[in-house]
Amino acid sequence: MALKGNAVGNDRRKSRWPGYIQFVFVVTLTAMFFLLALSMKRHHFFDGVQDTQIHASRQ
C-alpha cells in the first residue's frame, strides 16, 4: 500500500502563492540586497577606514 504523498508522478506540488507573487518577491528581495550593497559602498564599508584609524591611534 503506497501513500499518495510518497507517490512519484508528473504533477508538481502546488504552491500556496501564485507564480507572479513569487516573482515579485524575488525581484524585490534582489533589489533590496542591491541597494544595501550600494549603500555599503557609498559609506566606504569595505575600505577598512575604521581599521586604519584604530591602528594609527594605537601608535
Side-chain angles (χ1 to χ4, degrees), residues 24-39:
V24 169
F25 177 75
V26 168
V27 169
T28 303
L29 193 63
T30 303
M32 289 175 62
F33 277 116
F34 179 72
L35 290 174
L36 175 65
L38 286 179
S39 175

Side-chain angles (χ1 to χ4, degrees), residues 10-53:
N10 291 336
D11 51 349
R12 296 177 6 191
R13 288 189 173 197
K14 294 288 183 182
S15 174
R16 285 188 246 171
W17 301 95
Y20 69 93
I21 298 264
Q22 292 176 358
F23 176 75
V24 169
F25 177 75
V26 168
V27 169
T28 303
L29 193 63
T30 303
M32 289 175 62
F33 277 116
F34 179 72
L35 290 174
L36 175 65
L38 286 179
S39 175
M40 290 170 73
K41 183 180 179 203
R42 188 177 339 128
H43 291 287
H44 306 287
F45 186 78
F46 297 111
D47 286 348
V49 174
Q50 291 291 339
D51 192 39
T52 305
Q53 290 176 353

